[in-house]
């Protein structure tokens, strides 16, 4: 429920009886889609009476929703997508979003039927025979509200998920579809209907898994989610992101029913939400048994205090990153440990800081927990650093020449890394005009201008450096929760722990050496043709082509050795040019590449033109050019720490011969144009998020 609303306490029984559908004050009609003996069939419900319309103060709900949208930085003219399942939560979201858009009378779109700038996305997971009909019915109901609707169906290319991973797989697929649809429709904001009861469930779930205070803060109010697809717009690399917004986190489940009933809107009840096979369902039912005004409000107060601590920690980490981290073009980071001064930083802030840096360098967005987190803390606090460490997909060691005052963080090819490479989708000039504007940047800036005023100081961050049990103990000591609520939360935790099978903790510095050959020898599934562009390891944008013009002038001091390239360019050309069968593959650098460059640089140059010309052809070999290019590359390579070299991308041909190492300027042919730009998919810090 929105804080300050007076409707929740009067309607508590509605939430308790929503599944039995026996609430006497409201007559609901049910229709079953599909056979009645299918236990997973969803129930389609609506309120038949009109008396409820006069009991719900929709203006209060609309005002609370409008306030949250302003806090997120969203204006009425911004284009918005809604994640809709048809349940009471998402239908209430549709009601409030439509009312919010109508506040400034943006009104009906060009179609004459739908509200401008509002799109509902319904995902048909295809996991049940009747899901297609259900999605269509929900789509019709949403359309009746004046909201344009798009139904997207899941394509389970590797087969439908198994029962144990069903909810997680369905969620991942759902959000991937949300992002794709938003990108196709040039929409930068996605609203989802998570509410306060969802936060309470998540708190119990995470506390039963020994989560720290940052995890107990729950779901972010806003978070920037980055697409798995990176696109090419007229030579500009754009990785589309969507601002995921949860405007209903201050509302309760009861409010969802009230809003649907008060606006006379139908919704869907999914009986699978009551299955004890899923952790959230078990916790939801247990919370329902404990539901009381005191317990509910105190639990939300603990969550709110955790969120305040999370806001403080995030702000500290943002400042530390700006002050102490340098990102190099070759894809590694340097941490200035002297400027960082770890001895003066709380463990929780330092741990989050190093996690953000490692997640950025490796582009693995997994949390770092347990023994790995402790090992990293010990390492970063030991100044000067003298040893090396492999953890979370990264290799950390003292920066050369820093005497241990700086730490180098680079990708470890000995650990599993993100998917190797993918080809870009290049948009035509006509499609380019639909490229996303700076709308999202402006929305984020608006949200920051609001949230920056509310960042607490250290004295207001109540749970710094506390585990789950410590958080509850401190909350009880501060009188945030009573003894009764303390006991009930512990009871819920213990009940859920019985169902939990912990996974083996990720162990630092013990990655199997056999992984190296897997990543070194793995290439694009398809060869990279001239003119094509690919994204390598979520980190490098790589492209290459053959040009009719050479760049032999990059070696002015060797103009005599390469003079034949200029003299003969109109009549003869390199053996590579106009080869239709020439392709490139991409891999990371290996020790043999350095030795190859060193050997190549020592080869004698050829004095006359005829000795460079291939027999029976009018084509010129690239021997002298590749020798000079290798010399230049070796000089560049000396400036890159040895540890960072192993993640540098290398282009090779079908026979494994090196064509180019763009990051250090090597290419075997003067007519070859190649580039490798460090452009990680997720930016340093993970993008914008807010826990207001």
């Amino acid at each position: 429920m929105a804080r300050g609303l007076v409707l929740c306490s009067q309607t508590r029984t509605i939430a308790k009886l929503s599944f039995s559908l026996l609430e006497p004050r409201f007559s609901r009609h049910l229709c079953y889609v599909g056979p009645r003996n299918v236990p997973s069939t969803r129930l389609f419900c609506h309120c038949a009476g009109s008396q409820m319309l006069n009991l719900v103060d929709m203006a209060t709900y609309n005002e609370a929703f409008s306030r949250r949208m302003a806090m997120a930085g969203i204006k009425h003219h911004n284009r918005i997508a809604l994640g809709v399942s048809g349940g009471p939560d998402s239908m209430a979201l549709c009601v409030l979003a439509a009312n919010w858009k109508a506040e400034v009378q943006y009104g009906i779109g060009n179609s004459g039927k739908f509200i401008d700038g509002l799109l509902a996305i319904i995902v048909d997971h295809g996991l049940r025979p009747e899901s297609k009909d259900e999605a269509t019915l929900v789509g019709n109901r949403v359309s009746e509200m004046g909201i344009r609707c798009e139904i997207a169906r899941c394509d389970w290319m590797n087969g439908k998920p198994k029962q144990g991973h069903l909810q997680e797989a369905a969620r991942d697929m759902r959000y991937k579809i949300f992002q794709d649809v938003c990108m196709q429709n040039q929409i930068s904001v996605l609203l989802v209907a998570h509410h306060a009861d969802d936060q309470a469930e998540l708190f119990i779930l995470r506390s039963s898994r020994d989560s720290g205070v940052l995890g107990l803060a729950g779901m972010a109010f806003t978070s920037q989610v980055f697409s798995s697809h990176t696109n090419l717009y007229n030579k500009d690399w754009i990785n589309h992101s969507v601002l995921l917004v949860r405007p209903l986190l201050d509302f309760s489940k009861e409010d969802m029913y009230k809003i649907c009933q008060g606006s006379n809107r139908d919704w869907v009840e999914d009986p699978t939400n009551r299955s004890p096979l899923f952790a959230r369902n078990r916790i939801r039912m247990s919370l329902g048994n404990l539901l009381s005004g005191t317990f509910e409000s105190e639990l939300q107060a603990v969550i709110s205090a955790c969120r305040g601590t999370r806001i403080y920690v995030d702000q500290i980490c943002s400042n530390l990153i700006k002050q102490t981290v340098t990102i190099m073009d070759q894809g590694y980071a340097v941490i200035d440990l002297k400027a960082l001064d770890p001895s003066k930083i709380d463990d929780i802030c330092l741990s989050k800081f190093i996690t953000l840096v490692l997640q950025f360098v490796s582009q693995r967005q997994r949390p770092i927990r347990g023994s790995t987190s402790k090992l990293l803390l010990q390492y970063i606090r030991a100044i000067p650093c003298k040893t090396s460490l492999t953890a979370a997909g990264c290799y950390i060691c003292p920066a050369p020449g820093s005497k241990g005052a700086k730490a180098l963080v680079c990708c470890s090819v000995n650990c599993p890394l993100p998917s190797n490479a993918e080809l870009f989708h290049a948009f035509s000039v006509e499609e380019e005009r639909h490229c996303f504007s700076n709308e999202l940047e402006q929305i984020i800036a608006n949200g920051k201008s609001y949230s920056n005023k509310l960042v607490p100081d250290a004295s207001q961050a109540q749970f710094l450096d506390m585990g789950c049990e410590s958080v509850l103990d401190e909350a009880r000591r501060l009188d945030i929760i009573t003894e009764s609520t303390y006991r009930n939360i512990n009871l819920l935790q213990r009940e859920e722990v019985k169902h939990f099978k912990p996974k083996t903790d990720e162990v630092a510095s013990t990655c199997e050496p056999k992984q190296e050959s897997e990543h070194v020898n793995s290439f694009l599934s398809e060869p990279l043709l001239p003119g094509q562009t690919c994204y390598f390891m979520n980190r490098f944008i790589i492209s290459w082509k053959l040009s009719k013009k050479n760049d032999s002038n990059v070696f002015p001091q060797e103009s005599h050795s390469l003079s034949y390239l200029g003299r003969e360019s109109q009549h003869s050309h390199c053996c590579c040019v106009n080869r239709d069968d020439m392709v490139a593959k991409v891999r990371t650098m290996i020790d043999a590449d350095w030795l190859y460059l060193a050997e190549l640089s020592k080869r004698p140059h050829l004095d006359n033109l005829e000795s460079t010309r291939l027999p029976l052809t009018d084509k010129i070999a690239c021997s002298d050019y590749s020798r000079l290019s290798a010399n230049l590359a070796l000089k560049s390579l000396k400036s890159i720490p040895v540890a960072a070299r192993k993640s540098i991308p290398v282009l090779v041909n079908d026979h494994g011969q090196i064509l180019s190492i763009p990051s250090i300027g090597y290419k075997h042919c003067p007519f070859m144009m190649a580039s490798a730009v460090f452009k990680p998919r997720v930016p340093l810090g993970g993008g914008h998020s807010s826990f207001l």
Side-chain angles (χ1 to χ4, degrees):
M1 168 181 173
R3 293 188 182 98
L5 298 185
V6 297
L7 302 171
C8 181
S9 61
Q10 300 171 0
T11 59
R12 189 171 304 281
T13 54
I14 297 176
K16 290 184 177 180
L17 300 176
S18 60
F19 289 104
S20 66
L21 303 174
L22 297 176
E23 169 59 47
R25 288 180 292 174
F26 310 110
S27 172
R28 300 173 186 164
H29 300 288
L30 308 180
C31 64
Y32 288 82
V33 178
R36 289 179 180 269
N37 61 348
V38 178
S40 60
T41 299
R42 304 167 90 189
L43 308 179
F44 292 86
C45 317
H46 72 273
C47 178
S50 60
Q51 65 270 34
M52 191 63 189
L53 298 177
N54 298 322
L55 297 178
V56 177
D57 183 4
M58 287 300 299
T60 307
Y61 286 118
N62 290 330
E63 181 183 350
F65 182 84
S66 181
R67 185 166 56 250
R68 295 296 284 181
M69 294 293 278
M71 291 170 63
I74 305 171
K75 307 293 185 182
H76 290 85
H77 66 271
N78 294 137
R79 293 164 294 179
I80 295 170
L82 311 172
V84 178
S85 66
D89 307 347
S90 61
M91 294 304 287
L93 177 65
C94 288
V95 170
L96 295 173
N99 292 346
W100 178 76
K101 276 283 188 179
E103 282 182 1
V104 292
Q105 298 181 346
Y106 267 80
I108 304 302
N110 295 330
S111 66
K113 181 180 179 181
F114 299 119
I115 299 171
D116 263 342
L118 201 56
L119 172 68
I121 306 173
I122 299 172
V123 177
D124 172 15
H125 295 92
L127 299 175
R128 294 175 291 108
E130 63 272 16
S131 64
K132 181 177 179 180
D133 292 335
E134 293 173 1
T136 301
L137 181 56
V138 172
N140 292 336
R141 290 178 171 178
V142 172
S143 297
E144 291 172 358
M145 301 168 64
I147 301 175
R148 186 165 62 92
C149 183
E150 182 167 333
I151 299 176
R153 293 179 171 83
C154 296
D155 182 11
W156 301 101
M157 298 181 63
N158 298 322
K160 295 180 180 179
K162 297 180 181 179
Q163 184 68 27
H165 304 281
L166 184 63
Q167 285 193 330
E168 181 181 358
R171 180 193 180 280
D172 291 343
M173 178 66 78
R174 183 164 61 251
Y175 277 88
K176 180 181 181 300
I177 289 175
F178 285 161
Q179 288 179 297
D180 291 344
V181 173
C182 286
M183 183 171 66
Q184 293 162 8
N185 290 273
Q186 294 86 50
I187 294 175
S188 298
V189 177
L190 171 67
L191 307 187
V192 291
H194 294 121
H195 48 74
D197 290 34
D198 294 322
Q199 290 281 54
E201 294 166 14
L202 186 59
F203 181 91
I204 300 300
L205 179 64
R206 289 184 174 176
S207 63
S208 69
R209 271 61 165 170
D210 292 326
S211 178
V213 63
L214 300 185
L216 296 178
M219 293 173 282
F221 168 47
T222 62
S223 56
Q224 196 174 358
V225 182
F226 293 86
S227 172
S228 58
H229 306 295
T230 304
N231 302 294
L232 171 61
Y233 291 89
N234 193 27
K235 300 183 180 180
D236 289 329
W237 323 109
I238 295 180
N239 185 24
H240 177 58
S241 65
V242 174
L243 187 66
L244 181 66
V245 182
R246 299 179 174 93
L248 305 184
L249 289 181
D250 281 348
F251 293 70
S252 72
K253 182 72 172 184
E254 296 175 9
D255 292 321
M256 304 298 103
Y257 287 109
K258 293 283 286 183
I259 292 166
C260 289
Q261 293 161 340
S263 57
N264 199 27
R265 294 297 173 183
D266 303 339
W267 69 89
V268 171
E269 294 286 6
D270 189 348
T272 60
N273 287 335
R274 302 187 70 193
S275 170
L277 294 175
F278 303 111
R280 276 186 171 274
N281 295 349
R282 294 192 298 268
I283 294 171
R284 184 180 306 120
M285 289 185 284
S286 296
L287 282 170
N289 295 332
L290 293 171
L291 199 61
S292 70
T294 301
F295 176 81
E296 185 178 16
S297 62
E298 290 182 359
L299 179 56
Q300 292 298 330
V302 175
I303 297 173
S304 179
C306 291
R307 293 173 76 80
T309 302
R310 175 70 187 256
I311 293 171
Y312 170 79
V313 171
D314 286 350
Q315 184 63 44
I316 292 295
C317 290
S318 177
N319 294 337
L320 291 175
I321 287 173
K322 293 175 183 177
Q323 296 165 7
T324 67
V325 179
T326 302
I327 305 300
M328 309 305 291
D329 292 340
Q330 291 78 21
Y332 63 95
V334 178
I335 302 175
D336 188 335
L337 298 177
K338 186 176 181 180
L340 181 65
D341 197 2
S343 63
K344 296 182 179 179
I345 303 174
D346 292 314
D347 279 354
I348 189 172
C349 297
L350 192 59
S351 179
K352 179 67 174 179
F353 163 79
I354 191 64
T355 294
L356 292 173
V357 176
L358 267 60
Q359 286 176 336
F360 170 75
V361 172
S362 69
Q363 286 297 297
R364 299 196 320 175
Q365 303 306 310
R366 305 174 187 173
I368 301 176
R369 304 189 180 99
S371 60
T372 303
S373 179
K374 293 178 181 177
L375 196 59
L376 286 168
L377 273 177
Q378 293 172 2
Y379 182 88
I380 210 73
R381 287 196 182 281
I383 300 179
C385 63
K386 299 178 180 179
T387 61
S388 60
L389 174 69
T390 301
C394 290
Y395 179 78
I396 312 170
C397 64
S402 70
K403 297 182 179 180
K406 294 182 179 181
L408 185 75
V409 182
C410 54
C411 260
S412 170
V413 294
N414 293 330
C415 287
L417 294 172
S419 57
N420 296 312
E422 60 175 298
L423 290 175
F424 270 116
H425 173 59
F427 287 91
S428 67
V429 176
E430 182 177 348
E431 291 173 307
E432 182 191 350
R433 60 191 177 89
H434 297 298
C435 177
F436 299 104
S437 67
N438 61 353
E439 181 178 73
L440 180 57
E441 293 180 6
Q442 185 59 57
I443 292 172
I444 291 175
N446 294 340
K448 285 183 176 179
S449 67
Y450 187 100
S451 60
N452 287 343
K453 302 173 184 177
L454 303 176
V455 176
D457 56 31
S459 64
Q460 297 171 305
Q462 297 168 309
F463 301 139
L464 288 175
D465 269 350
M466 290 187 180
C468 171
E469 293 183 3
S470 300
V471 165
L472 291 179
D473 290 339
E474 182 68 5
R476 180 175 57 175
R477 188 186 72 80
L478 296 173
D479 291 330
I480 297 176
I481 57 176
T482 60
E483 183 65 31
S484 174
T485 298
Y486 177 85
R487 289 196 305 269
N488 285 332
I489 293 176
N490 276 304
L491 175 64
L492 292 170
Q493 291 173 354
R494 290 194 297 271
E495 287 298 315
E496 186 53 33
V497 165
K498 296 177 183 177
H499 300 276
F500 178 57
K501 295 180 180 179
K503 298 179 181 179
T504 303
D505 187 31
E506 180 184 13
V507 180
S509 66
T510 58
C511 298
E512 296 294 332
K514 64 181 181 180
Q515 293 285 352
E516 179 172 8
S517 60
E518 175 187 345
H519 295 289
V520 166
N521 295 320
S522 56
F523 301 105
L524 274 168
S525 57
E526 296 181 3
L528 188 64
L529 301 176
Q532 286 187 326
T533 303
C534 79
Y535 204 27
F536 186 57
M537 291 167 51
N538 285 352
R539 292 157 44 84
F540 289 96
I541 297 167
I542 298 174
S543 62
W544 78 279
K545 65 179 180 179
L546 291 172
S547 173
K548 293 183 178 180
K549 294 182 179 180
N550 68 74
D551 64 346
S552 58
N553 58 351
V554 299
F555 306 112
Q557 69 278 18
E558 301 285 349
S559 58
H560 176 71
S561 300
L562 299 177
S563 60
Y564 63 86
L565 288 172
R567 291 198 311 268
E568 301 293 327
S569 60
Q570 294 180 352
H571 307 289
S572 51
H573 49 76
C574 165
C575 59
C576 301
V577 178
N578 296 330
R579 278 187 55 184
D580 295 332
D581 62 335
M582 187 172 180
V583 298
K585 296 182 178 181
V586 189
R587 62 166 170 79
T588 52
M589 199 172 193
I590 56 178
D591 292 348
D593 297 336
W594 314 345
L595 299 175
Y596 172 78
L597 292 178
E599 180 183 347
L600 187 60
S601 67
K602 297 175 183 178
R603 290 180 182 176
H605 74 271
L606 302 175
D607 292 327
N608 61 75
L609 173 62
E610 291 307 318
S611 63
T612 68
R613 199 181 301 278
L614 298 180
L616 305 179
T617 73
D618 194 35
K619 296 180 179 179
I620 299 172
C622 305
S623 304
D624 274 344
Y625 183 88
S626 58
R627 173 182 61 84
L628 296 172
S629 183
N631 267 311
L632 185 65
L634 286 172
K635 293 178 182 178
S636 298
L637 200 59
K638 290 180 180 179
S639 66
I640 303 174
V642 174
R645 297 175 188 176
K646 292 186 177 181
S647 60
I648 292 177
V650 178
L651 278 70
V652 300
N653 62 16
D654 283 331
H655 305 291
Q657 178 188 4
I658 298 178
L659 299 176
S660 177
I661 310 177
S663 299
I664 57 174
Y666 172 75
K667 53 185 180 179
H668 87 293
C669 168
F671 294 92
M672 184 178 187
M673 306 296 168
S675 67
V677 181
F678 182 58
K679 201 81 170 180
R681 189 182 297 280
V682 180
L684 181 58
H688 171 69
S689 66
S690 170
F691 282 79
L692 291 179

